[in-house]
Amino acid sequence: MTTVEQVQDVATAAASGASATEHFRKDKSPFEAVKDTPPERVSTLINDVLAGVHATIRKHKVTYDEYNALKAWLINVGEDGEWPLFLDVWVEHVVEEVNTAHRQGNKGSIEGPYYVPNAPELGSKGTLPMRPDEKGDRLVWNGQVRSIDGSPLAGAKVELWHADADGYYSQFAPGIPEWNLRGTFITDDQGNFEITTIRPAPYMIPTDGSCGKMIAAAGWHPWRPAHLHLKVSAPGHEMLTVQLYFPGDPHNDDDVASAVKPELVLDPKEDGQGGHTISYDFVLDPEN
Ligand code: MBD
Ligand code: FE
């Protein structure tokens, strides 16, 4: 018989989905934030979504068998806890696009389902928490945070989180220390930071959950290119949520989450010891 401990040792879709759903509920107050939305807007949004669904059914003459399969699949997405994953992979990139189109500073990208606030503070220069035998090539990153007028932003917060060299995120896959590869840096009086970490692996959407089954049924691939996630913030400025990518990754051009932009691809230089150095700065837009 399989014990609970054995089950929790395996990185199943249901386990990481359940963690993502739990974190989302704990870290955000989604209904509070929209409590003043007028009914006219709610009605318009719902009607337009439904009109899109109705048009698809008419255009493709969707059958009752297909309709029932959809119902069963939607129920399963919730049971697997995969709504955060589904929405962040196939919908969030458009929300990000319309909400950051006005920016003059850095391009952003989607947050995804694996952010956790309040990661350990490491000053302006430090190494992300990692296991003594953490796999993966070393990365040393020097950067600066500036406002769009070029002035350095001292005391800016740079939150970084990323997958390990097997593609797993701490707090969403079993057996990884709580804050592994998650940290918060604060820029020095010149707006500079220096971060040491390891290069993450590409991320594969779990194949055993509802999202994975949809991908297989559609004949798609489940991959995101390797990436670093960041949230960069400073008083009086809009928070930048962004991801950075590595040149040459086979999935930079067909990210399942449609979140790669050319401005977000790094230019790593070999450090002569098997690792790489990177330099990448952030430019934040003032709040208006
Ligand atoms: C990820 O690591 C991610 O960044 C996104 C957006 C979706 C799924 C997994
Ligand atoms: Fe990610």
Side-chain angles (χ1 to χ4, degrees):
M1 239 185 72
T2 316
T3 66
V4 171
E5 286 84 307
Q6 281 169 325
V7 169
Q8 288 176 342
D9 261 334
V10 182
T12 59
S16 75
S19 314
T21 296
E22 203 182 300
H23 271 283
F24 178 75
R25 286 197 170 128
K26 184 158 61 98
D27 300 341
K28 294 212 164 75
S29 338
F31 301 122
E32 182 62 21
V34 295
K35 67 179 189 327
D36 297 329
T37 308
E40 295 73 27
R41 180 167 169 84
V42 178
S43 175
T44 300
L45 295 180
I46 297 171
N47 275 330
D48 274 8
V49 170
L50 290 174
V53 174
H54 300 160
T56 304
I57 295 167
R58 290 195 180 100
K59 179 175 172 189
H60 301 285
K61 299 193 168 45
V62 168
T63 67
Y64 259 100
D65 285 342
E66 289 167 335
Y67 174 65
N68 285 326
L70 171 67
K71 243 192 219 180
W73 181 81
L74 290 168
I75 292 166
N76 289 344
V77 176
E79 281 181 1
D80 292 345
E82 283 198 338
W83 280 118
L85 179 66
F86 176 85
L87 290 165
D88 294 351
V89 168
W90 286 288
V91 180
E92 189 187 354
H93 67 99
V94 189
V95 181
E96 194 277 329
E97 176 191 311
V98 303
N99 284 279
T100 62
H102 63 282
R103 287 194 186 163
Q104 295 174 260
N106 243 251
K107 291 269 183 243
S109 190
I110 62 177
E111 176 176 316
Y114 303 139
Y115 170 66
V116 185
N118 306 315
E121 288 209 11
L122 302 161
S124 64
K125 180 174 173 170
T127 302
L128 278 192
M130 62 177 79
R131 293 160 283 194
D133 56 348
E134 192 71 44
K135 284 196 283 169
D137 295 340
R138 175 206 284 270
L139 274 182
V140 178
W141 171 8
N142 279 281
Q144 187 187 42
V145 182
R146 294 186 297 275
S147 190
I148 52 171
D149 66 3
S151 54
L153 292 170
K157 194 156 110 174
V158 178
E159 296 175 86
L160 171 64
W161 72 103
H162 65 81
D164 66 14
D166 293 321
Y168 294 117
Y169 286 86
S170 60
Q171 302 190 38
F172 298 88
I176 305 177
E178 187 175 23
W179 295 105
N180 210 245
L181 302 176
R182 297 177 181 275
T184 303
F185 298 85
I186 306 292
T187 57
D188 67 16
D189 51 13
Q190 306 301 317
N192 292 321
F193 61 87
E194 183 185 298
I195 300 174
T196 300
T197 185
I198 56 99
R199 185 168 171 148
Y203 176 88
M204 192 191 75
I205 299 206
T207 51
D208 60 321
S210 294
C211 291
K213 285 175 185 157
M214 180 191 76
I215 287 170
W220 300 344
H221 78 256
W223 292 98
R224 296 214 59 221
H227 55 277
L228 304 172
H229 288 271
L230 295 118
K231 280 183 176 287
V232 185
S233 52
H237 289 75
E238 291 185 22
M239 158 103 72
L240 171 68
T241 301
V242 67
Q243 302 183 28
L244 299 173
Y245 303 91
F246 297 88
D249 191 297
H251 293 296
N252 281 346
D253 296 325
D254 66 349
D255 176 11
V256 66
S258 310
V260 183
K261 301 176 187 180
E263 300 87 344
L264 304 180
V265 180
L266 294 161
D267 182 19
K269 310 272 191 238
E270 286 181 23
D271 66 4
Q273 296 162 343
H276 290 84
T277 57
I278 50 185
S279 85
Y280 192 95
D281 298 345
F282 298 110
V283 179
L284 303 187
D285 279 63
E287 264 165 1
N288 54 8

